[in-house]
Amino acid sequence: DAGVIQSPRHEVTEMGQEVTLRCKLISGHNSLFWYRQTMMRGLELLIYFNNNVPIDDSGMPEDRFSAKMPNASFSTLKIQPSEPRDSAVYFCASSLGAGGLGEQFFGPGTRLTVL
Amino acid sequence: GESVGLHLPTLSVQEGDNSIINCAYSNSASDYFIWYKQESGKGPQFIIDIRSNMDKRQGQRVTVLLNKTVKHLSLQIAATQPGDSAVYFCAETTRSNQFYFGTGTSLTVIP
């Protein structure tokens, strides 16, 4: 298995534009996590899904952020409209267990720069 | 102006020495813990885990110790190598399936 796949790896956009980050889970995993990492705030959990259902979205900053799992192996994180303060590295992770139980396998991340 | 950010605890060790990275947790309901390693430009990677019914668990060159009395977790790396230079995170999961990552400790191995 290729591991968790994220695309794009780098994204540079202008303030106000819509940004869509994509994640493909490891086959057979049933939990999906989106994280954001910045120097200011460290690693923050944004949202996680179990069996395609959002379980905890309390970390989603505001309504500009939305995440979906259209199927069991794929997820998107959308920011609309984007702002400079959204600049960060966004990681997707998947695991076999529910919630924080079990090892989470992280993707390589998407480095987002909003100008 | 000077930027303000997280001030990660840092640890510098000589190659070949043992490293000890510490983590304090506050939630007495936490019963499962993981250590992750994050190298520059990469996502965190699982190192070792431990459940609250254990005090110690060993892996290859790594040992995790759990002291539930003082809510303290440590990661010991034996014979530290330059490839061990990274940021190390502890993560805790509660019985109600909430989980949290620590802020991380930056380890630098001096050749």
Side-chain angles (χ1 to χ4, degrees), chain A residues 83-104:
Chain A
E83 297 182 2
R85 61 190 168 126
D86 302 330
S87 297
V89 180
Y90 290 81
F91 289 104
C92 169
S94 71
S95 75
L96 278 171
L101 292 176
E103 176 182 355
Q104 294 183 26

Side-chain angles (χ1 to χ4, degrees), chain A residues 9 33 35 37-43 45 48 91 98-104 106-108, chain B residues 4-6 31-32 34 36 38 41-46 49 51 89 93-94 97 99 101-102:
Chain A
R9 292 295 309 277
F33 310 82
Y35 292 90
Q37 189 173 41
T38 62
M39 288 297 293
M40 292 287 291
R41 302 168 72 97
L43 190 65
L45 175 68
Y48 84 88
F91 289 104
L101 292 176
E103 176 182 355
Q104 294 183 26
F106 283 76
Chain B
V4 178
L6 280 179
D31 66 350
Y32 177 66
I34 299 179
Y36 286 90
Q38 186 176 22
K42 297 182 180 179
Q45 182 180 19
F46 174 93
D49 61 356
R51 293 197 174 273
F89 294 93
T93 301
T94 69
N97 239 0
F99 62 100
F101 274 80

